[in-house]
Amino acid sequence: MGYQKLIETMMNETIPKGETRSDWLQRPLTASQCAYAAQDVHYLAMVFPRMLSDLDQLERRNWVLQDSVPRATLLTMVPVEDAYKRQKGLHLLSPRALLLAQQLFEWREQEARRKIGQETEFFMMSRS
């Protein structure tokens, strides 16, 4: 189920798709893109607790958590030094800028993996 259908089903609201295909890499974002993103957050903040409640009523929250941890782990299988290769537009950078981008993305990837590791450790401890 897509995001728009999720909101329609759970909130009985129809949200426009207008900005879904716009250029989100362009900076600065347009006022329309900012409004669209804010609307996403607004609805997600209402839907998430309802989804957790539904999962709890069905006694299936652990199913989702158990399924999510391995998926999060899969994200870390790319070697840290290759993290920058997932970014678009690298061919537009000068050699010096490419090196800086590589170093920045390597650092960001290490930080993300460190945080995921901490969250996974917390998840594992809280299940015990």
Side-chain angles (χ1 to χ4, degrees), residues 3 6-7 38-49 51:
Y3 176 73
L6 173 72
I7 300 304
Q39 182 183 42
D40 275 6
V41 172
H42 169 76
Y43 283 114
L44 284 173
M46 291 189 289
V47 167
F48 183 69
M51 292 176 77

Side-chain angles (χ1 to χ4, degrees), residues 74-85:
L74 285 175
L75 296 175
T76 65
M77 292 189 163
V78 173
V80 171
E81 61 275 5
D82 291 339
Y84 77 103
K85 293 178 182 176

Side-chain angles (χ1 to χ4, degrees), residues 5-122:
K5 186 69 175 172
L6 173 72
I7 300 304
E8 189 176 314
T9 302
M10 294 193 76
M11 304 301 298
N12 201 24
E13 296 276 344
T14 302
I15 56 173
K17 284 187 173 182
E19 295 296 335
T20 56
R21 304 248 186 254
S22 66
D23 183 2
W24 288 89
L25 296 176
Q26 164 201 324
R27 295 294 187 265
L29 295 176
T30 66
S32 180
Q33 286 173 313
C34 290
Y36 182 84
Q39 182 183 42
D40 275 6
V41 172
H42 169 76
Y43 283 114
L44 284 173
M46 291 189 289
V47 167
F48 183 69
R50 288 183 59 189
M51 292 176 77
L52 286 179
S53 177
D54 290 351
L55 287 169
D56 288 341
Q57 286 177 357
L58 296 168
E59 298 181 354
R60 294 184 181 163
R61 186 191 289 215
N62 279 339
W63 291 11
V64 172
L65 293 174
Q66 289 169 353
D67 189 47
S68 298
V69 169
R71 290 177 190 276
T73 304
L74 285 175
L75 296 175
T76 65
M77 292 189 163
V78 173
V80 171
E81 61 275 5
D82 291 339
Y84 77 103
K85 293 178 182 176
R86 293 180 284 182
Q87 306 307 311
K88 294 180 181 177
L90 293 175
H91 65 284
L92 301 172
L93 300 176
S94 69
R96 178 169 157 61
L98 181 60
L99 179 61
L100 290 172
Q102 181 179 1
Q103 292 170 344
L104 174 64
F105 288 114
E106 186 174 326
W107 171 82
R108 187 179 78 170
E109 187 72 14
Q110 288 171 338
E111 284 296 299
R113 290 180 188 197
R114 184 180 59 78
K115 288 181 180 180
I116 287 173
Q118 289 172 350
E119 291 169 10
T120 303
E121 288 170 16
F122 172 77

